[in-house]
Amino acid sequence: MTPAVELPQPSAAALAVSAELTRVIAAEIRAAGGWLDFARYMELALYAPGLGYYSAGSTKLGAAGDFVTAPELGDYLARALARTLRAELAELSAPRILELGAGTGALAAQILDALADLDVGYLILEPSADLRERQRRALERFGARVEWLDTLPAEPIAGAVIANEVLDALPVSRFARRGERIVPRGVVASGAGFAWADGAERRDLADAVGSIERALGAPLADGFESEIALALPAWIASVGAALERGCLLFVDYGLPRREYYHPQRSAGTLICHYRQRAHADPFLYPGLTDVTAWVDFSACADAARATGLDVAGYTTQAQFLLATLAAEPPSAGVDAAALRARSALKTLLLPGEMGERFKVLLLRRGRRARAEPLPGRDLRSRL
Ligand SMILES: C[S@@+](CC[C@H](N)C(=O)[O-])C[C@H]1O[C@@H](n2cnc3c(N)ncnc32)[C@H](O)[C@@H]1O
């Protein structure tokens, strides 16, 4: 396949994995009659056993990988999350934190360090075998305090569920408005690779887009294309059910519905990452490229309320970090480390970087005697 954007050439071994995954997906497309919903394509591209992006052995995170996340830029996000977690866990006895998709384990280590004085157990649910291995190495020093789970806990926990940049990895369906119709955009075989194609109208998709349009108060324009995570409500319900009492904290790039489906965003929000390059072609190097979509935080809030959770806070990452870090004593001196930290802070805070694109959503289950607000400007009215 010829890349439409300039990307570094993968190694022969990586290309072989990608070619094998391409064969697996092509076989599923044939078995499905020649067309596959994009959500299923994304699921295979990310999670096909032994071949998908999160199931095979690519480096993924960090400078040598495909993208850099906030925990890889220092412990700012961890310190801010730890401050909120400290307040949220204060009324619970023997609380536990469950982190979904812990990446390299950096956030877990930073949070455990920041909460070293608390007796809190740390659980990790990580679908990627090789990331799990990286986490084991990174978290060795915490011993039995950290435990890995294969599934969500059967017995709901009292504590907190946290996830940074995990919601964006949930498979999304893509759709387009064509006149009166909402059509699913799916995947067909094309040459040695794949291409987009309209599929037959589907009631579940048309209903879900219909309720978005009702909430927006107007139909989407003809030709408008975007994404919708049809599985999100069930996912939030199952993750929420893992929590008997406490909170969920999601950090991710995303928008409220009104901005997500804004007329100017008529090409959708899909974004792929390969070796520090962001591009928009999910069919390039299947299995070697991370495929993500922005998060519709209004949909998250609706799904949370539907499963009995309170939407207790919503703000931008910049607001959240500034409000938290401003409360900390300043660190002394301007050495090389401080300068590096300053440049990382810019990435985390600037509006064109992570500061405004990333949001923090706080959900709660159970009454609290003293519930503190999420640090930063309260933006819940935008959801
Ligand atoms: C973009 S990385 C973020 C990693 C880490 N949280 C960080 O901030 O560096 C996405 C992580 O989510 C994991 N993941 C993907 N889908 C998941 C799911 N459905 N449930 C839990 N974790 C998932 C991946 O294996 C990976 O660890």
Side-chain angles (χ1 to χ4, degrees):
M1 196 184 336
T2 314
V5 286
E6 236 175 74
L7 296 173
Q9 179 70 9
S11 68
L15 280 174
V17 172
S18 185
E20 181 55 26
L21 180 58
T22 300
R23 276 192 287 278
V24 168
I25 297 174
E28 188 153 331
I29 291 176
R30 273 196 306 280
W35 183 93
L36 200 62
D37 186 67
F38 183 73
R40 178 63 183 154
Y41 172 86
M42 186 166 163
E43 192 179 345
L44 290 167
L46 296 183
Y47 307 110
L51 298 171
Y53 183 76
Y54 283 116
S55 320
S58 72
T59 308
K60 300 184 250 298
L61 283 113
D66 303 304
F67 52 86
V68 172
T69 58
E72 307 297 319
L73 294 168
D75 65 357
Y76 301 105
L77 179 63
R79 270 158 43 205
L81 289 173
R83 190 164 175 269
T84 293
L85 288 168
R86 189 180 283 283
E88 294 293 323
L89 303 180
E91 291 168 20
L92 303 176
S93 67
R96 284 182 293 171
I97 297 170
L98 165 61
E99 183 177 356
L100 306 175
T104 61
L107 185 70
Q110 294 156 359
I111 288 180
L112 281 165
D113 280 336
L115 299 179
D117 57 312
L118 296 188
D119 181 19
V120 54
Y122 206 96
L123 310 171
I124 294 179
L125 178 57
E126 174 54 69
S128 160
D130 80 292
L131 285 178
R132 210 189 251 231
E133 248 345 278
R134 276 169 86 172
Q135 292 159 15
R136 279 193 203 284
R137 288 197 296 275
L139 298 169
E140 214 167 1
R141 67 188 166 97
F142 297 102
R145 248 181 116 184
V146 185
E147 241 181 274
W148 280 263
L149 306 178
D150 294 320
T151 57
L152 286 168
E155 284 293 308
I157 61 165
V161 178
I162 62 171
N164 182 54
E165 289 207 42
V166 174
L167 285 170
D168 65 70
L170 296 183
V172 289
S173 292
R174 188 155 165 106
F175 66 87
R177 177 165 272 296
R178 305 254 180 261
E180 294 296 300
R181 299 178 310 134
I182 294 294
V183 297
R185 297 279 286 149
V187 187
V188 292
S190 167
F194 305 111
W196 289 104
D198 286 0
E201 280 176 83
R202 261 177 34 207
R203 173 48 69 89
D204 61 340
L205 185 69
D207 286 352
V209 176
S211 60
I212 290 170
E213 292 181 325
R214 274 193 300 284
L216 297 175
L220 298 166
D222 192 22
F224 187 94
E225 285 194 27
S226 192
E227 291 78 37
I228 182 166
L230 293 172
L232 181 79
W235 190 85
I236 298 240
S238 66
V239 170
L243 194 70
E244 179 217 329
R245 211 165 157 231
C247 74
L248 299 101
L249 269 164
F250 294 120
V251 184
D252 225 307
Y253 38 97
L255 296 163
R257 181 180 292 130
R258 193 157 289 285
E259 292 166 52
Y260 198 101
Y261 297 107
H262 190 278
Q264 281 175 353
R265 211 163 268 107
S266 60
T269 71
L270 279 184
I271 177 152
C272 308
H273 295 99
Y274 178 70
R275 306 261 288 274
Q276 310 298 333
R277 268 87 163 171
H279 65 90
D281 185 353
F283 307 135
L284 271 180
Y285 303 138
L288 308 185
T289 299
D290 186 25
V291 182
T292 72
W294 282 42
V295 175
D296 173 355
F297 277 106
S298 303
C300 295
D302 289 348
R305 288 187 202 101
T307 192
L309 294 160
D310 295 326
V311 178
Y314 173 69
T315 195
T316 63
Q317 176 171 292
Q319 287 281 331
F320 180 62
L321 293 184
L322 284 169
T324 311
L325 302 178
E328 289 189 351
S331 52
V334 181
D335 54 14
L339 284 174
R340 264 200 311 279
R342 211 175 272 182
S343 125
L345 257 184
K346 273 194 193 160
T347 307
L348 292 167
L349 295 177
L350 284 178
E353 304 258 359
M354 289 177 163
E356 298 287 318
R357 281 190 283 135
F358 278 68
K359 311 292 189 312
V360 183
L361 180 69
L362 172 67
L363 307 172
R364 280 200 191 111
R365 189 182 297 291
R367 285 202 173 282
R368 299 268 315 275
R370 251 177 13 95
E372 287 189 23
L374 190 66
R377 196 147 70 91
D378 186 352
L379 299 176
R380 276 177 294 172
S381 62
R382 297 196 185 161
L383 287 171

